[in-house]
Amino acid sequence: MTILTRYIIRSHLGPLLFTFSLLTGLLWVNAIAQRLDDLAGKGLPKEVILESLVLSLPHTIALTLPMAVLPAVLYTFSELAANSEIVAMSGGGVRPRKLFLPAMFLGVVLTGITFLFNDRVLPEANHRLKNLHISIGQKDPTFQLRERVVNVITGEGGLGPFYLRAGAVDRASSELTDVVIHDMSRQGIRRTTYASRGEMRMNDSFTDLQLRLYDGRVYEVRDGKRAGFRQTAFDRQVNVLRGVGDIFEDADAGYRRSDREMPVAMLLDSANRRLAQLDSIREESRDGSLEVVRRALGGDSAADRPGRYSKDPSGFAGARLPADETTRMAAIDAHTRETRFGSLRRQANRYGVEIHKKLVIASACMVFVLIGMPVGVRFPRGGVSMVIVVSALVIGVFQYGLSTGEDWADRNLATPFWSMWSPSLAFILIGALQATRIGRWTASARDSGWRELWLELRSGARRLGAGRRIP
């Protein structure tokens, strides 16, 4: 590694680390602020709260590492040009384009690091964080209570179980309507409570559940020697389930992984299985269509004779049906296959999008080097404000292209490859065209600032408009 290469790389490290630390800190603090309300006041162990906050950090790093490259490259090369170091290097026989190689080498290294991080660390962190949030959600019976379903609540020391059913749940006010509670907490006594409405509250230490019921009745049945039945009406009743908030069980890691919780190998395997199922549906559709045509022509059923189409996937082989009934069942079967085909296609596209997203985000390190170096050399007098504005503009357009491409792929409007790679390919083309002109800009770098940037953009817009008017 030459002295010049080490100097260029060393010049990038300071701005890169500063920008990366600043962006990561800001986004992580924002993530913590959003999650803090869901963690505080539930009596959770400190280790669980800390783990939840730490597990949200990999997602932030996956975003900020490529984002930090562009401001670092812009600042480094604008400083080199502003201090006439590029002019001095050119006077010493070093072509300005040769300065591109050390910066691109750094971009390649960061691309590899980002891809490994997104493929190995990020999916596992996302999966662990999801499981942890499921466990934390179970800490609050009010928010995990489901409507029109029998919910099982167990208290301290295995107290209960209590089987609770509510017709409606207002999660904002924690109010219940049409409440039914089956109490199995005392041996030999079965108590059923009906109430028109109720309220659920946790105590100050968030350990006990206080259930206030209104306008109801209690039916109690006793077994054994004191067997009997008792009915009680009430206007207001308070039930306290102790130790409900103290029960915290870490969710099992066996939950099904989403596409953002899978590495590339798992995504490829899932996508290939969906594609294999699509081929199977195509084969079934062809066999079913041939069977329908054979029946319409008055031929024998495929189930009555050996051959390639001995198995009738349409489900009505071997039965002599009227023509209208055959058409109806064929239409139902075709609609079912179409629905399955569309669902599998969307799933395969989603896995393909996630694979390409990992590659695109990692390759953004190289793309931003290609974009940042020509702009930094061409407009060195723009200062930090130019670095911030250009970085925000480029990163904003890049992220908008990714989100729009992901939506198009999910709606099957474009293939995962083109929908995810189009923004990167456009920036690569722009960066390559600008990089070919670096040698012309070195001599005019002294006065290149915001005015020059505006004049360059206006000149480019005029050339584009003139090109469109040519018949």
Side-chain angles (χ1 to χ4, degrees), residues 3-200:
I3 297 177
L4 180 60
T5 301
R6 289 197 299 268
Y7 178 73
I8 296 296
I9 294 177
R10 189 166 61 249
S11 300
H12 280 83
L13 292 181
L16 177 64
L17 293 176
F18 173 78
T19 308
F20 173 70
S21 302
L22 179 63
L23 293 175
T24 303
L26 291 175
L27 293 183
W28 193 42
V29 168
N30 181 61
I32 291 175
Q34 293 178 349
R35 300 181 188 277
L36 203 56
D37 291 340
D38 298 331
L39 300 175
K42 290 191 175 183
L44 294 171
K46 296 180 180 179
E47 296 79 8
V48 174
I49 297 177
L50 181 61
E51 183 181 5
S52 176
L53 298 180
V54 171
L55 288 175
S56 64
L57 185 58
H59 176 71
T60 304
I61 293 176
L63 295 176
T64 56
L65 184 55
M67 290 170 57
V69 173
L70 181 57
V73 174
L74 284 170
Y75 180 81
T76 300
F77 280 102
S78 64
E79 284 294 303
L80 291 176
N83 296 327
S84 301
E85 294 184 64
I86 295 181
V87 176
M89 294 176 188
S90 300
V94 179
R95 294 183 178 179
R97 296 176 187 174
K98 194 174 181 179
L99 303 177
F100 174 80
L101 298 179
M104 183 54 68
F105 171 78
L106 182 62
V108 171
V109 172
L110 292 176
T111 294
I113 294 174
T114 303
F115 176 76
L116 290 177
F117 183 86
N118 293 347
D119 185 51
R120 303 297 175 86
V121 179
L122 183 59
E124 295 300 326
N126 288 341
H127 185 58
R128 174 61 184 166
L129 185 61
K130 183 190 75 173
N131 294 335
L132 192 62
H133 283 174
I134 292 175
S135 299
I136 293 174
Q138 294 173 353
K139 248 320 238 189
D140 188 349
T142 303
F143 289 97
Q144 75 164 358
L145 196 65
R146 294 179 295 171
E147 299 177 347
R148 297 183 293 276
V149 174
V150 177
N151 301 269
V152 181
I153 302 177
T154 305
E156 182 180 11
L159 178 64
F162 299 90
Y163 299 93
L164 188 150
R165 184 184 185 277
V169 179
D170 187 343
R171 305 192 186 281
S173 61
S174 300
E175 294 184 356
L176 315 175
T177 58
D178 298 330
V179 183
V180 180
I181 301 177
H182 300 281
D183 183 358
M184 306 293 183
S185 60
R186 292 186 290 179
Q187 187 176 4
I189 300 178
R190 299 292 180 266
R191 176 181 294 176
T192 303
T193 303
Y194 296 88
S196 60
R197 63 187 183 90
E199 298 176 354
M200 298 183 74

Side-chain angles (χ1 to χ4, degrees), residues 399-441:
Q399 290 186 340
Y400 177 78
L402 286 183
S403 60
T404 303
E406 185 174 1
D407 180 62
W408 285 7
D410 291 340
R411 294 163 57 187
N412 204 25
L413 299 177
T415 63
F417 175 85
W418 288 110
S419 61
M420 300 307 295
W421 282 98
S422 295
S424 295
L425 295 177
F427 279 122
I428 289 174
L429 179 60
I430 295 173
L433 291 176
Q434 297 296 310
T436 58
R437 306 174 60 187
I438 289 180
R440 310 179 198 173
W441 296 336

